[in-house]
Amino acid sequence: MVKSRFRRVLPAVLAVLLLAGCSLNPDAADQYHAKSPLIAEVNIPELLSAGQPEVLEIVLTQDGKRVPRADFVHYELWSHDGALRDPMTDAVEIGDGVYTVTRTFEKEGLYFIKLHCGNNHSIIIPQKPFAVGKLSNEELAFLQSETPIYQESDSAHHH
C-alpha cells in the first residue's frame, strides 16, 4: 500500500522540483530592455554590373552608435540560379562601423547576401536580395511571388 502511494506521489514531487528549476528570472524583462540590439544597414548600389568589381557596404549600429571593431561581420553570397555560392567570408572593416564586401559578379541575375554579425552578445543574421544587371522574367516572378525574405532593421532607410 505504501509502495503504491509512493509511486503516485513521486512523479508529482519530481515534476514540481523540475519546474521550480525553470522559474522565471524576476528581472528578465529589465535585462531584455537594457540590452541594445545590433542593427545592420546593407547599402547596395542601385546599378550593379557584371564583369567589374562592385562594393556592397554594411553599416553596423548598436544603441544608436556606429560599431567599429565588431566581434564579427561575415557574409555569404549566392546566386538564384545556383551558379555562385561563396562560403562565409569576413567583411572588410574600413572604419567607423562601416564594413565592405567587394566582389566581381560574372553574370547578370538575382543574388542574395546573408550577413552574420555579432557584437556585445547581440547576433543578427539578415539576408537581402539584389540584382546585378537585368533580371530574367523568372527571377522577377520569384521576387514578386515570394514572401519577404529580408528584414534589415527598424531603420527608415531601406534599399
Side-chain angles (χ1 to χ4, degrees):
M1 184 75 114
V2 172
K3 276 187 174 181
S4 167
R5 191 173 186 193
F6 181 73
R7 287 184 183 164
R8 284 186 285 161
V9 173
L10 181 62
V13 170
L14 288 175
V16 168
L17 289 173
L18 285 172
L19 290 175
C22 297
S23 64
L24 180 64
N25 183 348
D27 62 337
D30 294 335
Q31 290 177 5
Y32 177 78
H33 291 295
K35 291 184 180 177
S36 179
L38 188 60
I39 298 170
E41 179 182 337
V42 182
N43 298 315
I44 298 174
E46 194 156 323
L47 297 173
L48 296 174
S49 299
Q52 66 183 39
E54 297 287 1
V55 178
L56 313 179
E57 181 184 82
I58 302 145
V59 180
L60 288 184
T61 58
Q62 191 169 28
D63 198 26
K65 299 175 187 145
R66 294 226 178 154
V67 180
R69 297 175 307 284
D71 295 341
F72 59 89
V73 181
H74 310 303
Y75 68 92
E76 297 174 75
L77 286 171
W78 68 93
S79 61
H80 175 70
D81 66 4
L84 171 72
R85 181 70 185 182
D86 282 353
M88 196 177 318
T89 307
D90 290 333
V92 175
E93 182 177 2
I94 60 171
D96 194 29
V98 179
Y99 302 79
T100 60
V101 172
T102 302
R103 179 74 160 87
T104 300
F105 299 94
E106 298 303 318
K107 61 182 193 170
E108 294 185 342
L110 177 60
Y111 292 84
F112 299 87
I113 185 168
K114 180 185 276 189
L115 302 175
H116 301 258
C117 307
N119 189 62
N120 218 14
H121 306 292
S122 179
I123 297 173
I124 57 172
I125 307 175
Q127 178 175 303
K128 185 174 186 175
F130 62 96
V132 173
K134 292 185 179 186
L135 296 181
S136 69
N137 289 336
E138 176 192 335
E139 291 166 329
L140 285 170
F142 173 81
L143 283 177
Q144 293 169 353
S145 69
E146 291 296 307
T147 56
I149 57 170
Y150 174 74
Q151 296 167 357
E152 185 171 15
S153 67
D154 292 335
S155 112
H157 186 68
H158 294 283
H159 289 275

